[in-house]
Amino acid sequence: MFDVYVPAVVLLPFVSFLVALGAGQYLPKRGALSGIAATGGSLLLSLLLAVSVAGGQAYNETLYVWAAGEQFTLTFGALIDPLSALMLVIVSLVALLVHVFSLGYMNDEGEVGLPRYYAGLGLFTASMLGFVVADNLLMAFMFFELVGLCSYLLIGFHFREPGPPSAAKKAFLVTRFGDYFFLVGVVAVFATFGTAAFAGEGSFPALAEAALNGSGEAVWTPGGLDAQTWFTVVGLLVLGGVVGKSAQFPLHTWLPDAMEGPTPVSALIHAATMVAAGVYLVARMYGFYVLTPTTLAVIAFVGGFTALFAATMGVVKDELKQVLAYSTISQYGYMMLALGAGGYVAAVFHLTTHAFFKALLFLGAGSVIIAMHHNEDMWDMGGLRSKLPVTYYTFLAGSLALAGIFPFAGFWSKDEVLYEALVHGLNDPLLLGGYVMGLLAVPVTAFYTFRMVFLTFHGEPRSETARSPESVRWNVKGPLSVLGTLAVVTGFINMVPVQKVLGLEGIDYLHRWLDNEWGGIAGLSSHHYAEVGPYSSAYLVGGEAGTVLVGAAVSLGLALTGLGIAWRLYDVPTPTEHTAALGGIKAVLYNNYYLDELQVWLAYRIEDVAGGADTVDQGIIDGVVNGVSSVSLAGGSRVRRIQTGLVSEYAAMLTLGLLALLVVLGLNGGWFL
């Protein structure tokens, strides 16, 4: 079954890409129906694979050998375990709903270039699914890059307009910068271990673990570095690609600009594909990362900082999708915080809930944009609650989940992230710093989320378009209803706080799933990661249950505080922009801390350095080489003149040379004797 189903999961969207690209202009809906059929098929097969894993089966096989050598072999293979099975379902489900939503957003709006659009969606989906099932790091890197290419094509879909091409190039170049480090990391993994496999006794995480505990053979390290230090370097190199793709500080600047792409594309990028790829990669090779405490600490601190840093910028944005873009950066910061703090399950949990409520919010924003005739400015909206009831209530569910309000999905996953950071951070100052930043981001997140809700849906209409918005059809309402339901119920798959407080067993389904309770591959389980990980837990007053209650109460209290402030300031008939009270700070936040300008300045400084190096190269290095060459050529041309080809002249020169030699020897006091 696996041999057929696994390739089919990836190939079905790829076939839809070929169909849309080659014959989309001749098909009904310009390739949309083939994309819906393909992603629907991938979803069905993904569910069957998940059921198979739950039945005790797993799959880790090489499908194709494309290069073989004495030192290592390069292969394509598939790895299906609880983590990849869960991710397959998430990606294919969100992709299917995005395809359906696109019927209302793209087709019904009369967009041109639809075959190109649906071809891009198909290739994007196939690339992400291929990345998820990859059984080795090199294969993952190849699909990782293909995901980046697809994002470039889709962000720049409206290439005739000035903004999208620039945004697409920015996304491509910024993420490529991180991917250079990733590529070096891949090479380092092969050089160190001779393999890049994720699973099995011969995988690089298993070899690294054996090398550190002294039970395996010594591995290669450059310059006599100890194994621990070198593994940290390798982990940080791969992390470069993660920081770029998952839009973590300082390589986050591409993501807000990516909103230039069509809204369904934004939903796919933010919820289930490109941005999720980085976090998934860390989770996929978590058996290696838990061996390097320094790398984990860096991941946690960067994640916590990014969560707070991005949240502050969302407070002042005026465009609906811009607010959601910064919320995505912030929420992936929480996932990185969890991974760095040893909360493997918490990170996967938040990745799952975020996929659904963030796809919901972007598609809800798309519904509002349709109704507003593609106006995204929240200050031109208002009063849409009664005009778009399905959109409003589903969007509200997603907002409550994003803000971490009980009992919506985001509350459970965000609470577990903060809990893991707290109990492990009490023994580690760097982790504790990440926890504090993540906690401070909670009220800020709730504030900007409900500022967005109140400005968009509450109060009185503030423009003529808001007074008479365009209605939306079933192909918009259907995906919103599905995702709205998931935003409410997904949190119940991992009721860890209830379990710890009340002692109820068996309600932590995701923990049990990722712990291979129903099936999996040895060495790829949350239990194993906890055993080899560097962290120990410490608790506040009241032990484990007390820490859970205090942490949840503080987090929920801060979220409600942020919501209350937003309600007090913006849930009024005619709201005003209270962020103006921030003064100069607002300008800094609105301009994203001027990091774009800083990156441009750094690019020009690098260009100046490169220009100076070029001058030295051409003027000094090339000058010396060219000078030696000129002297050699000049001398050769002079010597060449005596080569006339006349034997009589050569005999005369030999005679004269002999006479000169005799004269010299005679003058020096002797002959040969």
Side-chain angles (χ1 to χ4, degrees):
M1 180 189 72
F2 284 100
D3 291 336
V4 176
Y5 287 2
V6 174
V9 169
V10 180
L11 289 176
L12 281 174
F14 185 75
V15 171
S16 76
F17 154 71
L18 296 176
V19 170
L21 192 65
Q25 58 182 330
Y26 308 109
L27 296 175
K29 303 298 181 181
R30 300 296 189 267
L33 299 182
S34 63
I36 292 172
T39 51
S42 291
L43 175 60
L44 178 60
L45 294 176
S46 297
L47 290 170
L48 291 174
L49 291 174
V51 171
S52 299
V53 172
Q57 301 182 55
Y59 185 77
N60 182 28
E61 296 291 338
T62 297
L63 301 176
Y64 179 71
V65 177
W66 57 280
E70 295 182 0
Q71 300 298 322
F72 48 80
T73 301
L74 307 180
T75 64
F76 285 135
L79 171 61
I80 304 297
D81 70 334
L83 176 62
S84 57
L86 174 65
M87 197 65 185
L88 285 177
V89 174
I90 294 171
V91 174
S92 54
L93 175 58
V94 173
L96 173 61
L97 295 174
V98 166
H99 273 82
V100 174
F101 185 89
S102 295
L103 287 172
Y105 192 91
M106 301 296 289
N107 294 70
D108 292 353
E109 293 296 291
E111 290 279 1
V112 297
L114 289 176
R116 175 166 53 87
Y117 171 79
Y118 287 109
L121 282 188
L123 185 59
F124 205 5
T125 305
S127 302
M128 187 62 192
L129 292 171
F131 173 76
V132 170
V133 303
D135 74 332
N136 65 84
L137 193 60
L138 179 60
M139 181 180 172
F141 173 79
M142 296 169 69
F143 279 105
F144 202 70
E145 294 305 289
L146 194 54
V147 167
L149 173 63
C150 294
S151 69
Y152 166 79
L153 297 173
L154 288 168
I155 293 169
F157 175 75
H158 297 112
F159 63 90
R160 293 180 179 85
E161 301 175 9
S166 177
K169 287 185 287 186
K170 183 177 181 180
F172 190 80
L173 293 173
V174 172
T175 55
R176 286 300 73 69
F177 180 80
D179 291 347
Y180 287 133
F181 294 96
F182 186 4
L183 179 58
V184 176
V186 173
V187 175
V189 167
F190 270 108
T192 304
F193 304 104
T195 179
F198 290 130
E201 294 182 359
S203 65
F204 73 90
L207 294 175
E209 183 180 342
L212 290 177
N213 61 31
S215 62
E217 298 180 359
V219 296
W220 176 86
T221 60
L225 284 176
D226 65 277
Q228 183 72 70
T229 302
W230 177 236
F231 294 168
T232 299
V233 173
V234 174
L236 291 174
L237 286 171
V238 176
L239 188 63
V242 173
V243 169
K245 282 291 194 295
S246 291
Q248 298 296 284
F249 179 87
L251 301 183
H252 66 282
T253 54
W254 67 270
L255 191 59
D257 289 7
M259 298 303 98
E260 293 285 352
T263 299
V265 172
S266 300
L268 196 56
I269 288 176
H270 289 244
T273 53
M274 186 166 172
V275 190
V279 171
Y280 176 80
L281 178 62
V282 176
R284 179 76 287 167
M285 52 183 293
Y286 202 64
F288 180 78
Y289 275 114
V290 293
L291 304 174
T292 58
T294 301
T295 310
L296 287 181
V298 171
I299 292 172
F301 192 83
V302 169
F305 178 80
T306 303
L308 178 60
F309 177 75
T312 60
M313 290 180 280
V315 168
V316 300
K317 299 300 179 182
D318 298 326
E319 295 185 355
L320 192 57
K321 288 172 62 176
Q322 284 286 312
V323 177
L324 295 177
Y326 283 100
S327 80
T328 296
I329 299 171
S330 180
Q331 295 305 302
Y332 278 97
Y334 277 111
M335 299 173 208
M336 296 293 285
L337 171 62
L339 289 167
Y344 167 75
V345 178
V348 176
F349 188 21
H350 200 53
L351 178 65
T352 303
T353 62
H354 179 266
F356 297 136
F357 69 68
K358 184 51 58 71
L360 168 62
L361 290 171
F362 267 107
L363 296 186
S367 176
V368 171
I369 291 169
I370 292 172
M372 291 294 297
H373 301 286
H374 292 266
N375 183 359
E376 299 182 22
D377 192 337
M378 295 185 295
W379 292 100
D380 291 334
M381 301 176 186
L384 296 178
R385 174 172 54 177
S386 59
K387 308 288 191 338
L388 303 170
V390 173
T391 300
Y392 170 69
Y393 287 108
T394 54
F395 195 93
L396 180 62
S399 298
L400 289 165
L402 172 60
I405 304 299
F406 178 87
F408 292 83
F411 166 79
W412 302 102
S413 57
K414 188 181 295 184
D415 179 71
E416 187 167 353
V417 169
L418 292 172
Y419 171 80
E420 293 288 348
L422 175 61
V423 298
H424 295 150
L426 291 173
N427 295 322
D428 191 314
L430 202 58
L431 289 187
L432 189 61
Y435 166 76
V436 171
M437 289 186 288
L439 193 65
L440 292 174
V442 170
V444 183
T445 301
F447 174 81
Y448 73 64
T449 300
F450 279 89
R451 172 180 177 268
M452 172 180 63
V453 171
F454 295 138
L455 287 178
T456 303
F457 294 100
H458 289 221
E460 298 296 328
R462 294 184 294 277
S463 68
E464 189 60 37
T465 308
R467 294 185 186 91
S468 304
E470 183 179 336
S471 60
V472 294
R473 299 177 60 200
W474 68 268
N475 44 31
V476 172
K477 297 176 182 178
L480 290 178
S481 300
V482 173
L483 290 168
T485 303
L486 292 172
V488 177
V489 305
T490 308
F492 298 116
I493 67 173
N494 205 46
M495 303 285 289
V496 172
V498 177
Q499 181 188 52
K500 292 183 181 298
V501 173
L502 301 180
L504 300 177
E505 297 295 331
I507 59 175
D508 55 338
Y509 301 105
L510 186 62
H511 264 275
R512 296 161 62 194
W513 175 259
L514 295 176
D515 201 26
N516 295 351
E517 184 168 323
W518 291 289
I521 296 175
L524 302 182
S525 69
S526 58
H527 181 73
H528 177 73
Y529 300 149
E531 282 187 334
V532 301
Y535 298 131
S536 60
S537 297
Y539 303 105
L540 303 174
V541 178
E544 187 178 40
T547 304
V548 169
L549 287 173
V550 171
V554 171
S555 175
L556 181 59
L558 290 173
L560 291 173
T561 300
L563 190 158
I565 295 172
W567 173 76
R568 179 71 176 83
L569 297 178
Y570 292 101
D571 190 19
V572 295
T574 308
T576 57
E577 182 51 278
H578 294 281
T579 56
L582 296 172
I585 298 176
K586 179 184 177 180
V588 173
L589 297 176
Y590 195 83
N591 289 283
N592 312 323
Y593 292 93
Y594 298 100
L595 285 176
D596 289 277
E597 289 79 2
L598 176 61
Q599 289 181 349
V600 171
W601 181 84
L602 288 173
Y604 279 119
R605 299 294 77 77
I606 293 172
E607 185 181 18
D608 293 339
V609 173
D614 183 65
T615 301
V616 172
D617 179 58
Q618 295 190 35
I620 298 176
I621 299 175
D622 286 356
V624 172
V625 174
N626 293 336
V628 172
S629 175
S630 298
V631 171
S632 177
L633 290 173
S637 67
R638 298 294 186 273
V639 174
R640 188 174 58 199
R641 294 177 181 178
I642 66 177
Q643 301 293 325
T644 62
L646 298 175
V647 177
S648 59
E649 292 186 6
Y650 295 160
M653 285 190 289
L654 286 172
T655 303
L656 290 173
L658 179 59
L659 290 173
L661 179 62
L662 292 173
V663 171
V664 170
L665 291 173
L667 292 175
N668 286 320
W671 307 98
F672 290 105
L673 299 177

